[in-house]
Amino acid sequence: MIPRERQIWADEPASLAAGLDSLLADYGRLWLLDHRTMGRVLEERMEAHLAAAAYPALSEWHGENTVLSLFAAGEPQPAAVSAAFGDWLVLEAAALGAGPLEVGRAVLPLDLTWRLTGPGDGDAVVGLRLVGATGHVWAQRDTRPLAGLLPFSSWIPGEAGHDRHGLLVPAGTPPGDYRLALRVYDARSLAVLPAASEGGSGGEVILGTVRVARPAGALPVEALAVEQPLDVTLGPLRLVGAGVEEAGPLLPGQTVAVDLYWQALADPGEDFLPRLQLVDDGGQVVSELAEKPVAGSYPTAWWRAGELVRDPHALPVAAGVPPGRYRLAASLLHAAGGSAVEAEDGPSRLELAVVEVRGRDRTYRPPAFEHRQGAAFGPDIALAGYDLSPGPAAPGSTLAVTLVWHAVETPAANYDVFVHLLDAAGNILAQDDGPPGDGRLPTLGWLPGEYLADSHVLPLPIDLPAGEYRLAVGFYDPVTLERPAAPALLETPVTVQDGPS
């Protein structure tokens, strides 16, 4: 598409801009092949114009010196959202594409208007995530502003600046509604800037809801980003690949993340259940998960002939699984009756990987702790007591809390724990949320009768007034955000005084 006389665009910026704008208007998407060697003046100018005039969606390295980038046209609509990130960055406005977005072909355009309230961090990265109803991330793009060409360190504090992003909806994404989430984090430490908006506080801000639609025509299987290619026909479905997250040795309660990639050879017309199993050397199944595709949210009865579906699952390691190495196997069941679907061209149970499980120490006697307090969180979990940082705390310091849990039964899900510092009106002034034991003590791995010490650290605001505060603790499902029971207020107040603690 570049004019035969490359020098025309190299010497005449107006001609370059007009030409690229015309191509965007005609085709909607442009690929830029950039050989990053000496003498790439024209490519740099093309990239800069497209990053400002279009929406950069992809940037992939091919070999050591070549980058392939995708830019798309778009007309995003204003979204009612604003937020503060950390103490130096404010999102003043946002606009995003209205959709529906065609799977495998459409790019979601996004305009962001930022204002710096202090010196900008050149290592700050803007992260976008397309999140489904089950909490799974279906598309993600992480880059410094304006396709990496304008880091925040080059912005002038106090002045508003505009930033453009595009998010390609990958092949295999099921049709439906998705949340577009925004976060800002440090590229070196990966620390996420705290975000505050009308929707609350935390690590990210929801910019809006995006509707995703089936592609107008069938996509080729090659459009799927398959890690482990397969070719097994199971009834009306073809398993074309799989992907298993390499997470290292797992503890009881932790999960094996598995993506299955399907192609519907015909309208399935019924519900099938993908089944994942951990099998020991003797053929004994020690953990099993059989559920409708996409964690139950996109059953095969809804699929259409030719459709490609990426199907993520999380197989928990059962609480009582002993340490060892296990084979991870996948198969397909009829939902009605539970019988296995026989493969036409190979084994019906496919071995995908070997998973290593290691044990952890378990305690069935209550450990020593300073404050004894009982509280029930549903029928499975009880609080036995807790420890707190000694002495009064100071604004800007941290507050350490160790909670001692008692497992009455193995919980029904992997819950996260929250610890909230509350004022007299119940407002949350500081908090720490996350899985127990920083992920080393997932609740699905708790055995009946054991006690578990779970430590949390709350950073206290620098402007926290002196006074007495209370701590509220509880559990919630990180996917649905539902709580199995009401939180409990710890009986011991937290005293904050001015000056060093």
Side-chain angles (χ1 to χ4, degrees), residues 337-358:
S339 61
V341 179
E342 296 297 326
E344 294 182 7
D345 43 10
S348 298
R349 189 167 77 173
L350 303 167
E351 293 189 5
L352 303 179
V354 174
V355 175
E356 183 178 352
V357 177
R358 59 184 173 91

Side-chain angles (χ1 to χ4, degrees), residues 251-254 319 359-369 371 373 377 380-387 401-411 414-415 417 435-456 475:
L251 294 167
Q254 293 180 332
R360 63 170 176 82
D361 294 335
R362 297 183 186 270
T363 301
Y364 292 91
R365 293 183 178 180
F369 48 84
H371 305 284
Q373 179 179 341
F377 298 89
D380 303 327
I381 302 173
L383 176 70
Y386 56 94
D387 286 325
V401 184
T402 299
L403 305 168
V404 178
W405 306 112
H406 182 219
V408 182
E409 297 289 343
T410 297
N414 269 337
Y415 296 114
V417 176
D438 287 328
R440 299 183 302 276
L441 302 173
T443 54
L444 279 175
W446 296 7
L447 286 176
E450 73 170 314
Y451 289 84
L452 305 101
D454 174 26
S455 297
H456 298 262
F475 292 85

Side-chain angles (χ1 to χ4, degrees), residues 237-432:
L237 304 180
R238 178 185 172 212
L239 183 61
V240 300
V244 181
E245 182 183 42
E246 295 184 6
L250 297 175
L251 294 167
Q254 293 180 332
T255 58
V256 186
V258 181
D259 281 338
L260 301 176
Y261 296 89
W262 302 97
Q263 181 186 37
L265 302 176
D267 288 357
E270 65 172 294
D271 282 336
F272 295 94
L273 305 180
R275 178 175 64 182
L276 297 170
Q277 297 172 312
L278 289 183
V279 185
D280 66 16
D281 289 338
Q284 182 71 29
V285 176
V286 299
S287 293
E288 179 173 309
L289 174 68
E291 61 181 355
K292 293 180 181 180
V294 194
S297 66
Y298 194 45
T300 58
W302 298 357
W303 298 10
R304 296 294 177 262
E307 188 168 1
L308 302 177
V309 177
R310 177 187 170 199
D311 175 22
H313 299 271
L315 169 63
V317 177
V321 173
R325 293 170 66 84
Y326 300 88
R327 300 189 306 277
L328 172 65
S331 54
L332 189 67
L333 307 177
H334 292 277
S339 61
V341 179
E342 296 297 326
E344 294 182 7
D345 43 10
S348 298
R349 189 167 77 173
L350 303 167
E351 293 189 5
L352 303 179
V354 174
V355 175
E356 183 178 352
V357 177
R358 59 184 173 91
R360 63 170 176 82
D361 294 335
R362 297 183 186 270
T363 301
Y364 292 91
R365 293 183 178 180
F369 48 84
E370 183 178 1
H371 305 284
R372 182 175 298 276
Q373 179 179 341
F377 298 89
D380 303 327
I381 302 173
L383 176 70
Y386 56 94
D387 286 325
L388 294 177
S389 299
S397 66
T398 58
L399 175 67
V401 184
T402 299
L403 305 168
V404 178
W405 306 112
H406 182 219
V408 182
E409 297 289 343
T410 297
N414 269 337
Y415 296 114
D416 279 2
V417 176
F418 65 85
V419 182
H420 292 167
L421 183 73
L422 308 179
D423 63 12
N427 298 308
I428 300 174
L429 304 180
Q431 67 186 79
D432 183 74

